[in-house]
Amino acid sequence: MTPQDALAMAQDALRAWGGGVAELVQIRENIVFRARLDDGRDVALRLHRPQYRSPAQITAELSWCAQLAAAGFPAPAPVSCADGKMTVTIAGRSVSCVTWLAGDVIGTEHTPLGADRCGMMRQIGALI
């Protein structure tokens, strides 16, 4: 998939969240965009790899992230579509949105939860 095709798909998907503008971040297993919704929220929009995870599995991941965020862990919280669902399907791909978390960049590696990985793991362990 070309970056232009991915951007067109993202812009189409954003209608489910009330519209917005997307900027490509990466094309890997999932295609990830940073987007600004029309209501002003910054989100990460993911075009999930087709047939890799089911919509139920993606929804389970989003629910887990919601619980982590609600418990005070700096996890991205899911952003529901205008109809209340957590995902939509565009051109055979599940699409989801989570809150955008600013992160540190170390070399070429993005570390959205910060560089203190040991501290992060302790915090995850305490929540579990």
Side-chain angles (χ1 to χ4, degrees):
M1 175 176 298
T2 68
Q4 294 81 9
D5 290 340
L7 181 59
M9 192 180 296
Q11 289 301 146
D12 188 26
L14 281 171
R15 288 189 203 125
W17 282 270
V21 178
E23 174 187 347
L24 181 63
V25 174
Q26 70 179 9
I27 297 180
R28 290 193 184 158
E29 178 180 304
N30 297 316
I31 302 172
V32 180
F33 292 86
R34 181 176 187 167
R36 165 77 45 107
L37 299 179
D38 283 348
D39 66 11
R41 291 181 289 173
D42 288 322
V43 298
L45 179 87
R46 293 186 297 172
L47 306 177
H48 296 269
R49 187 171 93 186
Q51 302 174 0
Y52 184 66
R53 299 276 186 237
S54 71
Q57 289 171 315
I58 294 166
T59 298
E61 174 194 343
L62 293 169
S63 296
W64 182 65
C65 286
Q67 291 177 21
L68 287 173
F73 187 78
V79 177
S80 297
C81 302
D83 66 4
K85 294 180 182 176
M86 285 201 236
T87 64
V88 296
T89 302
I90 303 289
R93 284 182 180 259
S94 291
V95 182
S96 66
C97 243
V98 295
T99 54
W100 183 264
L101 296 180
D104 299 326
V105 177
I106 300 171
T108 60
E109 176 115 7
H110 292 274
T111 56
L113 295 176
D116 181 9
R117 293 181 191 271
C118 289
M120 179 181 67
M121 293 303 162
R122 281 189 203 93
Q123 202 173 1
I124 291 171
L127 286 171
I128 292 172

